[in-house]
Amino acid sequence: MKEVYERVLLVGADCGTDGEEFERSMKEMENLARACFMEPVGMITQRMENINKGLYIGPGKVEEVKEAALALEAELVIFDGSLTPSQLRNLQKELEKPVMDRTALILDIFEKRARTREARLQVESAKLKYLLPRLVGMHGAMTRQGGTSGSMSSRGAGEKKIELDRRRIEHRIAELSRELKAVSRERKVQRKRREDDRIPLVALVGYTNAGKSTIMNAMLDAYMKKEEKKVLEKDMLFATLDTTVRRINTGNNRDFLLSDTVGFIHKLPHDLVEAFHSTLEEVESADLLLLVVDYADSGYREQIKTTKETLQKLNIGEIPVITVYNKSDKSDEITVYPKRTGEDRIYISAKDEASLQMLTEMIVQCVYEDYVPAQFLLPYSEGGLISYFSENAHVFERDYEEEGILMKVKCHKADKDKYAGYLRNT
């Protein structure tokens, strides 16, 4: 059976922004609509000094949008901006069509993509917080009775419905908050275990559709012998929402955990960032961030700016960052890849083996920079300690001597200090 797509009309207001930036934003809106299984049938824009407080766009442009929606048989009108409750109410009245803003569109996409229980809780929380201030006017067609006491009994059906909906939503938001806090506690326990095992965590961050999932899957193919469950890899905005963590075995005790996180986007709703905070805590606890950039996109600099601004909202501390310019094979700005520039920049194609190897070398070099050379003479009676260094250090050589095993390693500075009594001069 052929899938039926909802016909939508896109509307944008350019208030003195850079022309190219506005065009990118509208093109992104078109892609967001398609990602939500909608069919954009037209686009109307207006250049203006300030947003109209009552209608977002000018009254004359509203009439133009109404006529275009009718002529193009659009079932829904989507505005590239965040509409206030009054603007939303006024536009629906004037256009006589359902109206949606960019925030609601992104929330709808997230709702469709959420797979795990945690992601569903996060999206539901964000949607309810978005809906709460927009309840007024939703039941305007219902009758209202006069009343001066302010009690529930003196209110009309519309007012009662709004008040009941508000209470239900507030109650559900409180429930979701408690459940998400429980999830956050579980994640903290998991992170504590990882910290105890001293396995570095590397988090993929960046704009949606920049290639984070492609890099994750390529790493799994290259370094994991056993079959590991991969993440969804698709040329679509917000193809994946659920944070995935996989262990990458590069050999000789140089493993690291790789985390694929939700992508960012221009004008990402604040409530959505807040709702996904427990998931994005993986980023906060990372030892290294890989900021993945779609280098083939002409607006890649804006993507970097948006990603960094979103990370600032999360209060990310001084975590080392490697900027990964992905899709370099499709870019006109560079002819040679893989190419490493300094300690924090690399140009790659995620599906190129040499690119992946160079990126992995950079990751290992960074996350294991606190590892130092050492030589330990471990008595044969210290079997647990011998196993510990075998599993947690880079062992270059081991000699079996009369007093014990002489191990030449590269280990964490904390381990060298902790077991200084077994050190031997190199």
Side-chain angles (χ1 to χ4, degrees):
M1 182 177 176
K2 188 176 179 181
E3 200 164 357
V4 179
Y5 286 79
E6 188 174 18
R7 295 169 66 84
V8 297
L9 176 64
L10 307 179
V11 181
D14 181 9
C15 296
T17 59
D18 177 76
E20 290 185 10
E21 183 182 341
F22 178 67
E23 286 181 17
R24 280 196 299 270
S25 183
M26 292 303 297
K27 179 64 179 176
E28 196 169 77
M29 269 283 291
E30 185 178 346
N31 291 332
L32 284 168
R34 294 187 189 283
C36 204
F37 307 107
M38 297 173 177
E39 181 188 355
V41 293
M43 184 182 294
I44 293 178
T45 61
Q46 181 178 25
R47 183 177 292 275
M48 52 201 303
E49 289 186 9
N50 297 297
I51 294 295
N52 185 295
K53 290 183 180 181
L55 293 166
Y56 190 77
I57 54 177
K61 187 62 69 170
V62 170
E63 190 61 33
E64 182 183 334
V65 171
K66 183 177 181 179
E67 292 173 0
L70 187 64
L72 296 169
E73 298 181 346
E75 302 163 79
L76 175 68
V77 180
I78 307 178
F79 284 76
D80 182 37
S82 184
L83 299 175
T84 65
S86 61
Q87 287 171 342
L88 184 64
R89 187 169 61 252
N90 294 338
L91 284 167
Q92 287 185 149
K93 182 180 178 181
E94 292 292 328
L95 298 176
E96 299 177 349
K97 293 274 185 184
V99 172
M100 178 183 281
D101 62 10
R102 185 186 181 97
T103 299
L105 178 60
I106 293 174
L107 287 169
D108 266 17
I109 295 172
F110 272 51
E111 188 174 39
K112 286 180 170 65
R113 299 281 189 277
R115 293 292 178 267
T116 65
R117 173 176 170 271
E118 181 183 7
R120 290 192 181 106
L121 290 174
Q122 292 165 330
V123 173
E124 185 183 355
S125 175
K127 286 204 77 169
L128 290 177
K129 287 178 180 177
Y130 171 82
L131 177 62
L132 190 59
R134 291 166 174 79
L135 287 175
V136 179
M138 291 183 65
H139 307 286
M142 302 180 73
T143 59
R144 292 176 179 242
Q145 300 183 76
T148 57
S149 68
S151 65
M152 180 71 82
S153 61
S154 67
R155 299 183 186 185
E159 289 174 294
K160 287 181 182 179
K161 181 74 169 99
I162 292 170
E163 186 62 30
L164 289 171
D165 283 350
R166 185 185 303 280
R167 289 180 184 178
R168 278 195 291 265
I169 289 173
E170 289 174 343
H171 178 69
R172 182 57 182 155
I173 289 174
E175 284 182 337
L176 291 168
S177 179
R178 286 193 294 270
E179 291 185 62
L180 287 170
K181 283 179 182 176
V183 170
S184 181
R185 286 194 294 270
E186 290 171 13
R187 284 189 174 275
K188 285 177 181 176
V189 171
Q190 294 170 357
R191 283 196 296 273
K192 182 65 168 59
R193 290 193 195 121
R194 292 200 300 261
E195 289 167 4
D196 291 342
D197 291 339
R198 284 223 185 91
I199 305 174
L201 175 63
V202 180
L204 292 157
V205 298
Y207 216 72
T208 179
N209 209 31
K212 299 184 298 300
S213 298
T214 306
I215 292 174
M216 165 75 89
N217 288 336
M219 288 269 187
L220 292 175
D221 283 336
Y223 297 107
M224 305 308 294
K225 292 181 181 179
K226 67 177 183 178
E227 189 67 25
E228 284 281 354
K229 188 176 181 181
K230 295 184 180 179
V231 296
L232 177 64
E233 182 182 326
K234 196 171 183 180
D235 186 13
M236 179 186 287
L237 300 184
F238 298 118
T240 55
L241 287 187
D242 306 309
T243 295
T244 305
V245 181
R246 296 286 184 268
R247 185 164 181 159
I248 305 299
N249 180 9
T250 63
N252 206 355
N253 296 328
R254 283 295 184 268
D255 293 8
F256 59 87
L257 297 171
L258 188 62
S259 172
D260 183 22
T261 60
V262 62
F264 302 140
I265 197 168
H266 186 49
K267 303 176 187 174
L268 187 66
H270 174 73
D271 285 337
L272 205 53
V273 175
E274 284 295 308
F276 272 74
H277 194 268
S278 64
T279 300
L280 295 170
E281 282 176 350
E282 293 291 342
V283 178
E284 294 179 30
S285 61
D287 299 284
L288 172 67
L289 301 183
L290 297 184
L291 199 169
V292 184
V293 180
D294 181 354
Y295 196 45
D297 192 310
S298 60
Y300 73 87
R301 291 181 180 85
E302 276 299 312
Q303 293 183 8
I304 295 174
K305 180 183 175 183
T306 297
T307 301
K308 288 182 175 179
E309 287 174 351
T310 307
L311 290 173
Q312 285 176 358
K313 291 178 185 176
L314 294 168
N315 297 317
I316 301 299
E318 295 298 320
I319 301 174
V321 178
I322 294 176
T323 304
V324 181
Y325 291 89
N326 189 32
K327 306 183 186 180
S328 293
D329 54 321
K330 299 177 182 178
S331 172
D332 296 329
E333 293 191 25
I334 190 169
T335 55
V336 179
Y337 70 91
K339 180 182 177 183
R340 178 173 174 173
T341 307
E343 300 298 317
D344 61 357
R345 184 177 299 183
I346 183 172
Y347 299 83
I348 70 163
S349 169
K351 297 187 177 181
D352 173 60
E353 187 177 338
S355 293
L356 211 62
Q357 185 175 351
M358 185 179 289
L359 175 60
T360 305
E361 288 171 359
M362 286 184 74
I363 292 171
V364 170
Q365 183 180 342
C366 183
V367 297
Y368 283 98
E369 67 176 354
D370 287 337
Y371 280 59
V372 294
Q375 186 168 278
F376 297 95
L377 181 60
L378 304 174
Y380 292 108
S381 59
E382 295 287 352
L385 201 51
I386 293 168
S387 296
Y388 176 80
F389 278 106
S390 297
E391 295 172 5
N392 295 282
H394 184 178
V395 181
F396 297 103
E397 187 179 329
R398 66 179 77 203
D399 295 320
Y400 295 86
E401 300 186 353
E402 187 175 338
E403 297 177 29
I405 301 177
L406 184 67
M407 298 181 74
K408 294 180 180 178
V409 303
K410 200 169 187 181
C411 65
H412 198 278
K413 287 189 292 188
D415 284 337
K416 184 176 181 180
D417 295 337
K418 184 175 180 179
Y419 301 108
Y422 297 101
L423 282 171
R424 292 295 178 269
N425 294 329
T426 56

